[in-house]
């Protein structure tokens, strides 16, 4: 049975599915095997990136899956080497070519380093030219978002950051709302704490799960949905893919939400002010195919 995933509304009026299938750290072969399974179960939001080195495989699945393009929501991301204005325009065309698509639904700047201020103009031009439906940022702190807002005529529609019960990002959301970004949609990576058994074992989740006949993981994903976040729970197991979608038939009470939000706050990963070595590496994204290499990114800071 194919699940139906609710959607949130972006600032431009378009909708974005509340849960997606991310292909971070997946080889092209794994994408070819597991992305079709996710689509068959009902996932319609696909999250990839240049630096994941699997865009070609994602595009092949999109073309062969039999699902109309307009029913899919496709996100990809540009790494800092692509940010300078002229390079950004060229690399947007290159990513579309690798995916084999005329447009992507969402394009993000992946990491908060480099010439993102000039590149934002190329992102806006891509929207005007129909190559991109919405644009946003990933992992950007407030002061660097401010630099984007100084030059932007299109505000970031999406901000992708770490979000989970140990790092609910309430402070970030409140701060950015004061900057006119109250309609920004947040996407959370590490929604289950990067597989942290201690998070799943928190008494608040085991108790709420028992009350609703769900698992602790499902309670956490439901919490994130009710917080208004898009999530990408990582799994290659079709049974877990199905379980992750099975969160839209119950609702947490205000008291349950408050109990979860009372957990002590700490991030699993702090995005550094200066670029790490893996960000400064210049990648040749043409060196990928459906049997291409795994992403050179380390498993932090999606």
């Amino acid at each position: 049975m194919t699940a139906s995933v609710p959607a949130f509304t972006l600032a431009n009026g378009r909708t974005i599915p509340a849960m997606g299938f991310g292909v971070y750290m997946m080889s092209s072969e794994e994408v070819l095997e597991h992305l079709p399974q996710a689509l068959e179960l009902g996932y319609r939001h696909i999250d990839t990136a240049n630096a994941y080195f699997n865009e070609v495989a994602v595009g092949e699945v999109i073309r062969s899956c039999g699902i109309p393009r307009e029913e899919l929501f496709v996100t990809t991301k540009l790494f800092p080497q692509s940010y300078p204005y002229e390079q950004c325009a060229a690399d947007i065309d290159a990513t579309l070519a690798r995916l084999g698509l005329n447009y992507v639904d969402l394009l993000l700047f992946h990491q908060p380093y480099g010439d993102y201020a000039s590149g934002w103009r190329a992102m806006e031009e891509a929207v005007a030219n129909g190559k991109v439906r919405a644009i946003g940022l990933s992992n950007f702190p407030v002061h660097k978002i401010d630099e984007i807002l100084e030059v932007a005529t299109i505000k970031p529609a999406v901000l992708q950051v770490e979000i989970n019960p140990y790092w609910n990002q309430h402070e970030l959301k409140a701060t950015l709302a004061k900057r006119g970004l109250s309609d920004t949609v947040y996407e959370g990576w590490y929604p289950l704490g990067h597989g942290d058994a201690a998070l799943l074992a928190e008494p608040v989740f085991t108790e709420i799960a028992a009350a609703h006949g769900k698992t602790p993981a499902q309670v956490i994903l439901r919490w994130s949905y009710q917080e208004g976040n898009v999530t990408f729970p990582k799994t290659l197991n079709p049974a877990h893919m199905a379980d992750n979608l099975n969160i839209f038939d119950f609702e947490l009470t205000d008291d349950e939400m408050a109990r979860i939000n009372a957990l002590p706050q700490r991030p699993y990963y702090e995005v550094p002010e200066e670029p790490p070595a893996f960000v400064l590496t210049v990648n040749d994204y043409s060196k990928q195919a459906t049997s291409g290499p795994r992403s050179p990114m380390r498993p932090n800071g999606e």
Side-chain angles (χ1 to χ4, degrees), residues 4 23 30 45 62 71 74 77 83 85 89 101 105 116 133 140 181 194-195 199 210 249 254 262 282 287 299:
S4 178
V23 296
E30 288 171 332
H45 184 174
I62 290 171
E71 294 182 13
V74 181
K77 314 178 195 77
Y83 293 174
Y85 171 72
L101 299 176
D105 299 274
Y116 44 80
R133 295 285 174 85
F140 274 63
L181 296 178
H194 200 44
L199 174 65
D249 60 348
D254 290 346
V282 176
K287 303 296 185 181

Side-chain angles (χ1 to χ4, degrees), residues 1-5 38-44 245:
M1 181 178 177
T2 301
S4 178
V5 178
L39 294 175
E40 184 175 354
L41 287 167
Y43 289 85
R44 293 294 182 266
L245 285 178

Side-chain angles (χ1 to χ4, degrees), residues 75-282:
T75 298
T76 194
K77 314 178 195 77
L78 300 177
F79 230 42
Q81 71 185 61
S82 299
Y83 293 174
Y85 171 72
E86 291 189 359
Q87 188 66 48
C88 190
D91 285 1
I92 289 170
D93 288 340
T95 200
L96 290 173
R98 285 191 296 273
L99 288 164
L101 299 176
N102 295 323
Y103 70 93
V104 292
D105 299 274
L106 176 63
L107 184 64
L108 305 176
F109 277 170
H110 200 161
Q111 295 284 349
Y113 313 108
D115 193 9
Y116 44 80
S118 77
W120 192 255
R121 179 160 60 98
M123 296 273 273
E124 293 181 335
E125 290 174 358
V127 174
N129 293 329
K131 298 176 181 180
V132 176
R133 295 285 174 85
I135 52 180
L137 302 169
S138 173
N139 299 310
F140 274 63
V142 171
H143 67 282
K144 294 184 179 182
I145 295 172
D146 284 339
E147 294 177 40
I148 295 287
L149 294 178
E150 288 177 3
V151 300
T153 60
I154 300 175
K155 296 184 297 184
V158 168
L159 181 61
Q160 188 176 112
V161 290
E162 178 186 340
I163 303 177
N164 52 67
Y166 284 159
W167 199 236
N168 59 36
Q169 296 287 12
H170 286 185
E171 183 177 345
L172 175 67
K173 292 180 178 182
T175 298
L176 292 180
K178 295 176 182 177
R179 285 162 164 77
L181 296 178
S182 59
D183 53 0
T184 296
V185 170
Y186 289 80
E187 296 183 331
W189 49 264
Y190 285 3
L192 299 175
H194 200 44
D196 182 7
L199 174 65
L200 294 172
E202 285 278 4
V204 65
F205 298 122
T206 57
E207 292 167 13
I208 295 174
H212 290 277
K214 296 291 183 178
T215 67
Q218 288 171 324
V219 170
I220 292 172
L221 293 175
R222 179 70 199 192
W223 163 84
S224 194
Y225 169 65
Q226 289 185 214
E227 286 272 300
N229 305 319
V230 176
T231 55
F232 304 98
K234 177 70 181 296
T235 182
L236 301 182
N237 184 320
H240 292 164
M241 293 180 201
D243 287 343
N244 291 339
L245 285 178
N246 188 23
I247 66 165
F248 302 113
D249 60 348
F250 77 108
E251 186 172 356
L252 299 176
T253 67
D254 290 346
D255 178 68
E256 289 169 335
M257 292 291 290
R259 289 177 62 197
I260 295 170
N261 282 321
L263 288 170
Q265 295 294 291
R266 59 171 178 80
Y268 285 93
Y269 177 70
E270 294 191 26
V271 178
E273 179 68 20
E274 297 300 321
F278 79 94
V279 173
L280 297 177
T281 300
V282 176

